[in-house]
Amino acid sequence: MERTEVRFVEDASAVLAQDLEGHDRILVVCAPSRRFVDEIRTALEFAEVEVFDGARVHVPKGTVAEASAIVQAFRPSAIVSVGGGAATGLVKMLRLQHDFRFVALPSTYAGSEMTTIYGSTHERQKTTGRDERVGPDLVLYDPSLAAAMPLDLTIKSLFNALAHPISSLSAGGEREEAESAISDLVEAAVQLVQFPQNREARMLALQGVAAAGRVLEAGRLGLHHELAHALGGRFDVEHAGLHAVLLPHSLLRLQKEDPGTYDRIERAAGLIDMPHQLLQLLKRAGAPTGLRQLGIDWSDFITALEQVDPSSKDILIPAHQGRVRRAGTRWVPELGAGDERVSVRGDLEQADRIVLALHGRGADADSIIQMGTEIAGLSGDIAWLAPQADNNAWYTNSYRDEPATIGVPLDAALSRVERLLRQARQTNPDARVLIFGFSQGACLGLEAAARTELPLDGVVAIAGARIGPSSGYGRPTARIEGVPVLLGVADGDPWVDKKDVEATAEHLRAAGAQVQLLGAAGELHQIDEAQRLAGAELLTGRRFGSGPTGFGNFVQSEALPGALPGRGNSPRPAPYGLHAEQVNGTRFVEDRKDNLRIWTYRHRPSAIHSAFRPVEAPRLAGSFEAEPDPSLQGWAPLSMPDAPTDFVEGLVTVAGAGGAREGRGCALHFYAANRSMDRRAFSNADGDLLLVPQQGGLTLRTELGVLRVNPGQIALLPRGLRFSVLLDQGQARGYAAEVFHGHFELPERGPIGANGLTEARHFRAPEAWGEDRLALGFRLAHKFAGRLFEATQDYSPFDVVAWHGNYAPYVYDLMDFSPVSNARFDHPDPSIYTVLSARMGAEGALDFVFFPPRWDPSEDTFRPPFLHRNGVTEFNGIIRDPSGDEAPFYAGGAFLTPGMTSHTVRSRGVLRAIMEGHNEPSRTRESSMWFQFESSIPLSTTPWAAAHRLKAWPHYWAGQRSFFHPQP
């Protein structure tokens, strides 16, 4: 196409008008949408303009005839195609019959405008050819035209163009420009799937499209294009979607037949495991991933397969199923079947555990293995075995139908499961064998587990129930006795009734299974975060929360052997192709003893998210300009919310000093939540967070691994690290302290010596886990300069496979605190119960003080806390109190004592201490748990706190009396 001029422009309409200035009749050819036609007509106002808007995909012969008649009648001297390959292809066909100037304005990334290839369809057959006459005289590439494409069409169209250089290389075409085109197109796709309005990426895409078209023009069509044209002509489906769906499978064929060429393509693309990565891009864009999603019926497809190309079943059948094999996974024939219907990952003979994974309706064998490895992690200890159902479904009925009604499909599916379980046992008799299923696969797995006579070591079945009416479940085999079973379902799951899952749980418990049923809020048919973690523990046999110990230690953890570099922190390349990323908690030039940092080794950089946008958070405060109030103040426990509320939404600032923006001072918060953070994480750029649960245990998913914290324990979350809060009992309440400067540290012991108070070894850090999970729309809440922001990304941020350093989150059990006290007389100051202390520079410190059950041996001493005024502001909270909720001290409540404001216990406590007069050593109440945040600077309360303070608080200190008498 030497005569074709190519121009990259910013205003295609204006350039078009200049080019066609001497033409008096111009025909515009487009699709029925007529997109951009009005702008073009306005630009061509000097000429008579007609529009033909009947361009159709695959250029039907009838459409060509209709357009040709218009050309004969109107006699244009120039024709402008605007749109995608349908418009361009139609004008190419017209050039075979008529003479005119041809200007192409592509609004997609088809690339056909750069070739002399033409084609049309007649009676479900597509005929293609080459002719020098059909190429455009001028191609105007304007990124604003393509920017109007929806995201799914953008990626499909880019894959259409990407197929050109890949097909050319597979057919022995020229390498240099092909590899350059691949590099540009893949880079554009990766950029645009996250930022569709990125103009630079749009221009890069057009440059790659032009190069891809030139490569295809200079080479020849390979098998990929032949299949795309054959299927497109027969089934009349969109051309770009066909290319997109077929491309990963064509690459898998190329990898097998010509690994050298495949490797060059993969290097040019910068993608490891390229077929899977392309599939991920399609999923992120919301584009079809299988031929069935393009509307090609399975039975019609099987019938047509022999006529299209029976030798390409290895491409076409998986392409219909949307089944793309990952690196490390192999497809093997099933016993008694000739085709490769089973996906295997791992070493079946050597693995400690074999998991039979069963996909749901509309899914496939490789996607269920992917889902399983996302949950359990990549480990040589687990091998995966997953059968593939024809037409991506085990049966077409509802799971509630009688098994006899479902009939042959169910019997066949259960037979396949039984054969594979038996095969797993025979291949590796020592391995534990488990079933993992989701949706319809969960139903099938539960039914198989209830019927099989083979021993099972566990079942994970999410969003599924036993098959049949719950009132008529057959008696499970005795083999289910003692088997751990995890069931999970959302409250409003549209595909499976929660009552049926509950009935399944009771049914299996009655048969002796150890059933755990995890509900989830909402109406999504998916695996939520809590179910994911519970599934990981059952599938792997590991228990979260037993990671490395030692506050401030330099510790390390890896989920895969060798994931931590042996010497340098940032080698090239890092082990397993991971990204090395450092997180600093202090200045680079901080003294070594104070320097805090970790190195993480993760699947993707943490920067792959959208721009942050502000989020309304009216109950959060980041600056405290109000004048402190010297009055004693108290607050009742924070009420549980009525609406679904997660940890971030449930944070309420009570008091603080200084400001997050200035990096000085602190803030104190309540939290109350009734919803886990699902597909949402939080990071606090303003400072460390210290969580004190009062009601309900929390599971903390952090970047470095999982921690569990219950009432009576505390969690320390370093500034900047991302974490999600999952609610173990469905709702939770507690307290949080935040320091805007410095970090929480262990207090010095001074004259106490070497032992006592807080021991570093009792702090538990997490173990690395590192999930590689596509999680579309994952939200990142981020507190910065006192304000809340949010961004989104398409992958889980919890993808750290290994880490080392001394900037880790911790959990500490407060009952490990070893208090000291006055052993002879006098009541000690509360500072001797300091667990952690944060030095806030010149602003002073924030101390966390805990009053555990303990002996009080003091003689001749007023035993309650003494009457007191001191320069420290005290914020007291109650985790639990054995005396019950006795006003004004309620578990979950809090009270604030400003510096130098007099405070004491209630009058009856003073009266009891004086009148009883006993001085024997005594034990405080065993289950009492009170704590205190002590600040050396005055704290201001927030408007929320002022509105919710207990109005009667001063009254509780009335009734104090004098015990003075004149006699000594």
Side-chain angles (χ1 to χ4, degrees), residues 245-325:
V245 167
L246 290 175
L247 191 55
H249 305 278
S250 298
L251 281 167
L252 286 171
R253 162 77 80 90
L254 183 63
Q255 184 183 35
K256 181 179 180 180
E257 295 184 348
D258 188 353
T261 298
Y262 174 85
D263 289 344
R264 285 195 296 272
I265 291 171
E266 200 170 62
R267 283 196 299 271
L271 296 176
I272 303 298
D273 194 5
M274 189 172 176
H276 174 73
Q277 297 278 18
L278 295 183
L279 182 73
Q280 297 276 288
L281 286 170
L282 290 174
K283 288 182 176 180
R284 292 173 69 187
T289 57
L291 297 177
R292 60 187 176 81
Q293 294 170 289
L294 297 176
I296 299 178
D297 178 75
W298 174 256
S299 58
D300 292 342
F301 172 74
I302 292 299
T303 301
L305 195 57
E306 293 298 324
Q307 298 174 340
V308 172
D309 185 354
S311 67
S312 296
K313 288 183 178 181
D314 61 325
I315 294 178
L316 295 178
I317 289 179
H320 190 277
Q321 298 164 337
R323 178 185 175 199
V324 175
R325 182 176 64 243

Side-chain angles (χ1 to χ4, degrees), residues 55-92:
R56 286 186 55 200
V57 65
H58 302 298
V59 194
K61 188 176 180 179
T63 302
V64 177
E66 184 181 352
S68 183
I70 292 176
V71 172
Q72 287 178 329
F74 182 55
R75 290 179 298 165
S77 59
I79 297 183
V80 177
S81 69
V82 57
T88 303
L90 177 56
V91 181
K92 283 183 173 184

Side-chain angles (χ1 to χ4, degrees), residues 637 694 878-893 906 908 925 927-930:
Q694 182 270 320
I878 306 170
I879 301 171
R880 63 171 180 254
D881 192 310
S883 62
D885 289 339
E886 181 179 333
F889 302 121
Y890 300 97
R906 294 188 64 186
R908 60 187 178 193
R925 289 173 292 191
S927 58
S928 175
M929 283 192 174
W930 289 47

Side-chain angles (χ1 to χ4, degrees), residues 27 67 73 116-117 124 151 170 218 240 266 476 504 606 667 700 821 887 910:
L27 178 65
T116 59
I117 301 170
R124 304 180 74 179
L151 179 57
S170 69
E266 200 170 62
T504 298
S606 61
L700 305 176
S821 187
V910 175

Side-chain angles (χ1 to χ4, degrees), residues 611-661:
F612 286 107
R613 58 176 181 81
V615 175
E616 290 296 323
R619 300 198 302 176
L620 273 181
S623 61
F624 303 91
E625 306 300 332
E627 295 297 327
D629 186 339
S631 304
L632 299 174
Q633 302 175 58
W635 294 273
L638 194 62
S639 299
M640 286 296 174
D642 296 323
T645 303
D646 67 22
F647 171 79
V648 178
E649 297 160 342
L651 278 172
V652 181
T653 308
V654 181
R661 187 171 182 177

Side-chain angles (χ1 to χ4, degrees), residues 802-823:
W803 61 271
H804 73 88
N806 63 342
Y807 191 57
Y810 296 105
V811 164
Y812 176 75
D813 191 330
L814 292 170
M815 296 311 292
D816 288 332
F817 183 72
S818 177
V820 297
S821 187
N822 293 13

Side-chain angles (χ1 to χ4, degrees), residues 1 167 276 311 387 514 671 753 756 824 902 914 932:
M1 285 181 54
S167 186
H276 174 73
S311 67
Q514 300 174 2
Y671 70 82
R824 188 173 182 191
S902 300
I914 291 177
Q932 188 176 98

